[in-house]
C-alpha cells in the first residue's frame, strides 16, 4: 500500500468518528479501558470502548481519540457519524490491551478483524447480479463453507462466496485473495453483508481464517449488538 493510500485511510478513520473535532492523547491501559465513544449512525446509538479504535491509535502515532468532558458525563451528547470502524482480535473480538498489544502490532492480518459499518453504500444486489455476476465462474463448494455458493471472478481472479445465487436483501458475499497470489503478501477475505436490515456491514480478516468465518461473523454481530444494547440501557 502506498504512503498516500495510508494517509487517505487515516483521514477517513479520523472523519467517521464525528463531524466535529476529535482530540487525541496518550493514555495508560487502565484509563483507556474506562473510556468510550458515544456514536449515532442513522438514529441508532452505539457505545464503543475506546480500545477498539486501534486503527486510529496507529494512524495517529500512538494517540487515542478522546471524548470531551461533556461527552464523558453525558452519553446523550453523541457524535453524529455516517460510519464507524474498529479493530479486534479473533477469537472473542478482543480489543487492544496490555496483554495482546504485540498481536495488534504484528504486520499483516494475524488474528485481526477490521470492521466497517455504514448506513450509506448499501449494496445493490440486483445491479450486481445483472451486470457483474455473469463474469463469475462456478466452482465446487468449499468444504469449510458448504452453505455458500462458490465462484471465481474471471476479472480479478478472486474467490467469491455468496449465500444465495440470486438477489436478496440479506445476501452475504465474501471476496478472498487466492492463496497463491504472488501480489499479496498478506492475503485476506472481505465480507459484505447487512446489519439490522439498515446498515452495510463490511469486515476483513486473514485468508488463513476463512474456515472460521461462521464464528467470526457471529462474533462481529454479537459485538455490534453489545455496543447498541449498552447504548439502549444507558439512555
Amino acid at each position: 500500500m502506498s504512503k498516500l493510500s495510508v494517509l487517505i485511510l487515516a483521514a477517513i478513520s479520523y472523519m467517521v468518528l464525528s463531524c466535529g473535532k476529535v482530540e487525541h492523547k496518550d493514555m495508560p491501559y487502565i484509563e483507556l479501558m474506562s473510556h468510550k465513544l458515544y456514536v449515532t449512525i442513522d438514529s441508532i446509538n452505539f457505545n464503543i470502548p475506546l480500545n477498539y479504535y486501534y486503527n486510529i491509535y496507529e494512524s495517529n502515532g500512538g494517540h487515542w481519540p478522546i471524548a470531551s468532558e461533556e461527552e464523558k458525563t453525558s452519553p446523550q451528547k453523541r457524535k453524529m457519524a455516517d460510519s464507524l470502524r474498529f479493530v479486534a482480535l479473533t477469537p472473542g473480538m478482543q480489543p487492544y490491551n496490555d496483554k495482546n498489544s504485540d498481536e495488534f502490532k504484528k504486520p499483516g492480518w494475524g488474528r485481526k478483524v477490521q470492521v466497517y459499518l455504514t448506513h450509506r453504500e448499501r449494496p445493490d444486489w440486483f445491479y450486481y447480479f445483472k451486470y457483474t455476476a455473469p463474469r463469475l465462474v462456478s466452482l465446487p463448494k468449499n468444504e469449510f463453507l458448504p452453505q455458500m455458493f462458490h465462484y471465481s471472478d474471471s476479472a480479478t481472479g478472486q474467490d467469491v462466496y455468496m449465500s444465495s445465487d440470486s438477489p436478496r436483501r440479506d445476501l452475504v458475499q465474501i471476496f478472498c485473495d487466492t492463496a497463491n497470489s504472488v501480489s499479496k503478501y498478506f492475503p485476506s477475505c472481505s465480507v459484505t453483508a447487512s446489519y439490522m436490515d439498515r446498515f452495510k456491514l463490511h469486515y476483513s480478516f486473514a485468508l488463513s481464517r476463512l474456515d472460521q468465518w461462521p464464528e467470526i461473523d457471529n462474533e462481529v454481530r454479537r459485538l455490534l449488538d453489545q455496543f447498541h444494547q449498552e447504548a439502549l440501557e444507558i439512555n
Side-chain angles (χ1 to χ4, degrees):
M1 183 179 290
S2 68
K3 184 176 181 180
L4 177 59
S5 298
V6 172
L7 291 174
I8 291 173
L9 286 173
I12 292 174
S13 295
Y14 178 92
M15 290 187 292
V16 297
L17 284 172
S18 173
C19 296
K21 180 180 179 182
V22 178
E23 297 181 4
H24 300 78
K25 75 170 189 174
D26 295 318
M27 202 176 297
Y29 289 113
I30 294 178
E31 183 182 354
L32 174 65
M33 294 173 66
S34 66
H35 283 262
K36 295 183 180 179
L37 291 182
Y38 305 104
V39 181
T40 296
I41 306 175
D42 194 28
S43 302
I44 302 297
N45 296 335
F46 299 91
N47 292 0
I48 308 167
L50 199 58
N51 50 349
Y52 278 98
Y53 282 106
Y54 179 77
N55 51 326
I56 297 180
Y57 169 83
E58 186 178 44
S59 64
N60 284 284
H63 298 280
W64 296 95
I66 59 172
S68 68
E69 288 302 319
E70 181 182 20
E71 289 165 331
K72 290 177 187 176
T73 57
S74 176
Q76 288 74 26
K77 184 67 176 179
R78 292 179 171 273
K79 295 182 181 297
M80 307 300 293
D82 288 329
S83 60
L84 64 86
R85 298 174 187 268
F86 61 86
V87 184
L89 298 182
T90 187
M93 294 301 285
Q94 304 165 25
Y96 181 88
N97 60 50
D98 56 343
K99 295 181 180 179
N100 63 22
S101 59
D102 287 344
E103 189 69 32
F104 275 90
K105 295 173 183 177
K106 287 180 181 178
W109 289 96
R111 294 167 51 203
K112 292 191 284 288
V113 179
Q114 295 188 359
V115 182
Y116 173 61
L117 186 75
T118 181
H119 70 108
R120 302 189 185 277
E121 309 166 29
R122 289 289 299 272
D124 184 341
W125 294 122
F126 287 94
Y127 181 93
Y128 179 86
F129 274 90
K130 183 175 181 179
Y131 295 105
T132 304
R135 76 188 191 203
L136 301 180
V137 178
S138 182
L139 296 176
K141 290 196 172 185
N142 185 308
E143 62 177 312
F144 299 115
L145 303 175
Q147 73 277 38
M148 304 288 278
F149 293 91
H150 185 196
Y151 306 91
S152 174
D153 189 321
S154 60
T156 66
Q158 291 178 301
D159 281 318
V160 181
Y161 301 90
M162 292 193 290
S163 59
S164 173
D165 61 354
S166 60
R168 292 173 55 100
R169 286 179 60 87
D170 61 350
L171 188 143
V172 178
Q173 183 183 62
I174 308 174
F175 277 95
C176 291
D177 300 318
T178 55
N180 60 354
S181 176
V182 295
S183 63
K184 296 289 184 180
Y185 292 102
F186 304 113
S188 64
C189 292
S190 295
V191 179
T192 299
S194 64
Y195 176 69
M196 290 186 173
D197 198 33
R198 67 189 297 168
F199 296 111
K200 171 186 174 180
L201 173 60
H202 183 88
Y203 58 90
S204 302
F205 54 89
L207 172 63
S208 60
R209 298 183 181 277
L210 178 60
D211 61 325
Q212 301 167 29
W213 170 71
E215 291 78 16
I216 293 173
D217 185 70
N218 286 334
E219 289 182 345
V220 168
R221 293 174 184 277
R222 280 199 302 267
L223 185 61
L224 289 169
D225 289 346
Q226 177 183 318
F227 293 162
H228 176 54
Q229 184 60 38
E230 181 173 325
L232 290 176
E233 292 172 357
I234 289 180
N235 291 339

